[in-house]
Amino acid sequence: MTYAGAAQAAESRKLLGSALEALQKDPNVPKDVLAVAENIAGAVGALFEAEKATSDLDGKASVKHAMGTLSQTMALLQDVYCVADPARRS
């Protein structure tokens, strides 16, 4: 048996991988933003695990891990955004 969402996990992994590659290749990306690339790589890894999972339980756990990592990534990016633009601080 395999994870029922494996195809969606694979597609998501490919999209995130492309975004990660673009970040890493762009010399104009601020270092603070590039620092979150590690989190994106972690989400890509978790989605790869979901794609290869042998059960729905394991696949869903891997997807939840990826989503948690991406949530942290968004929080980090918001922090970078607020530091870069003091007018945006709450």
Side-chain angles (χ1 to χ4, degrees), residues 7-22:
Q8 292 87 352
E11 181 64 22
S12 298
R13 177 185 56 80
K14 290 174 187 174
L15 290 170
L16 275 177
S18 295
L20 177 61
E21 182 180 5

Side-chain angles (χ1 to χ4, degrees), residues 17-80:
S18 295
L20 177 61
E21 182 180 5
L23 276 175
Q24 292 172 330
K25 284 185 175 182
D26 186 343
N28 299 316
V29 173
K31 290 183 181 184
D32 289 344
V33 173
L34 195 54
V36 303
E38 184 176 327
N39 283 27
I40 297 171
V44 169
L47 289 169
F48 181 78
E49 290 176 15
E51 183 182 350
K52 302 300 179 190
T54 57
S55 71
D56 279 350
L57 184 65
D58 291 340
K60 288 177 183 180
S62 294
V63 169
K64 285 182 182 180
H65 177 73
M67 291 172 63
T69 301
L70 291 173
S71 177
Q72 292 172 352
T73 302
M74 293 304 296
L76 288 171
L77 285 172
Q78 288 173 344
D79 286 345
V80 168

